[in-house]
Amino acid sequence: MPDFTPLENPVWSSLATGHSAMARVNGAAARYPSDISPLSAIRESSPQAFADLRELTKPGEIVGIVTAFPVTVPDDWEILLNRFIDQMVCDDFHPGDEVEPLRLSEKDVPEMIALTKLTQPGPFEQGTIGMGKYLGLRHADGTLMAMAGQRMSLTNFREISAVCTNPAHQGKGYAGKLMTILAREIIADGKMPILHVKTENASAKHLYAKLGFRVRKPMHFNVIRPR
């Protein structure tokens, strides 16, 4: 069995390994630059860790923390969202059909942001594309129909994220085809694909399960900002 320990605190693990060059670190806290992602991390749930994170956070700035352990947020932070999400791992890959995708680049970012705002797969900022490879599919009229990409980067794991399809083009299997390409490449690189999904999103979880993903455990997701 692979060592899943780094996935207990995935943002911390990503910033300490694959994305260490992006990391802003202060004591027991770390985060991505705000133009890349609001994802942030604390080494453990302690007042000192939150004090360290506060020094990395601008007044009123929103950050997100993903952990397997419960987090006690100090009173000098405002909790905007406190919920569970499911962490899924692909340890039994069942590839689906593939498609010839486009490699998305910085010039595509405005459309990518528009698509994520429309479909709400999770935060996507101006610089998020720098976290990894992003693939997309365009309609004959040039519209960006679907996209998927890579977000967190750990030593033995790579996260697939921003999986979304314009509602006008859903039901055609585009998301699964893009994910198949990304998962195949991640596995070829010697890593295991992972992802995070809203617990109640049964349709997405069904798609991911067909590709060989399984729920590993529920994760605490806290969206907070300093008071």
Side-chain angles (χ1 to χ4, degrees):
M1 287 288 292
D3 179 12
F4 288 122
T5 305
L7 296 182
E8 298 289 290
N9 197 350
V11 184
W12 180 270
S13 299
S14 179
L15 289 167
T17 56
H19 280 162
S20 60
M22 298 182 185
R24 296 176 58 205
V25 183
N26 179 44
R31 63 163 299 171
Y32 285 94
S34 56
D35 64 329
I36 292 178
S37 176
L39 288 177
S40 303
I42 50 174
R43 188 169 54 212
E44 74 281 326
S45 182
S46 69
Q48 184 59 56
F50 277 100
D52 292 342
L53 180 60
R54 192 180 185 90
E55 292 187 19
L56 296 174
T57 309
K58 297 175 184 177
E61 184 180 6
I62 295 172
V63 296
I65 299 174
V66 181
T67 57
F69 52 85
V71 169
T72 301
V73 180
D75 291 340
D76 60 345
W77 290 82
E78 179 183 2
I79 301 173
L80 302 178
L81 180 67
N82 176 10
R83 59 160 297 159
F84 283 106
I85 58 175
D86 283 343
Q87 183 181 85
M88 302 185 74
V89 297
C90 184
D91 51 8
D92 186 22
F93 182 45
H94 300 299
D97 295 333
E98 292 192 21
V99 69
E100 190 64 37
L102 300 169
R103 175 72 183 267
L104 299 174
S105 65
E106 290 184 2
K107 66 180 177 60
D108 301 302
V109 167
E111 292 174 279
M112 298 168 76
I113 291 176
L115 182 57
T116 57
K117 285 183 177 179
L118 178 65
T119 57
Q120 298 293 315
F124 193 93
E125 307 297 335
Q126 189 72 29
T128 301
I129 194 168
M131 298 178 80
K133 175 184 286 188
Y134 282 82
L135 304 177
L137 292 171
R138 290 190 180 279
H139 190 267
D141 65 7
T143 304
L144 183 62
M145 300 187 296
M147 61 178 270
Q150 302 166 341
R151 193 169 60 172
M152 286 187 271
S153 177
L154 292 71
T155 301
N156 295 313
F157 305 93
R158 196 71 161 100
E159 184 192 30
I160 295 177
S161 182
V163 180
C164 51
T165 303
N166 186 304
H169 300 284
Q170 289 178 352
K172 301 173 183 176
Y174 293 148
K177 292 174 181 178
L178 292 174
M179 288 183 66
T180 290
I181 296 169
L182 291 168
R184 193 187 298 279
E185 292 184 2
I186 291 168
I187 293 168
D189 196 35
K191 298 187 178 187
M192 182 182 294
I194 65 168
L195 57 82
H196 295 87
V197 61
K198 293 176 182 176
T199 303
E200 69 276 11
N201 194 341
S203 59
K205 289 162 70 173
H206 178 70
L207 166 65
Y208 305 152
K210 289 198 297 183
L211 295 174
F213 285 84
R214 63 175 177 84
V215 175
R216 190 181 84 88
K217 64 166 48 182
M219 303 289 285
H220 297 268
F221 180 43
N222 286 272
V223 178
I224 61 176
R225 65 183 171 198
R227 294 186 186 275

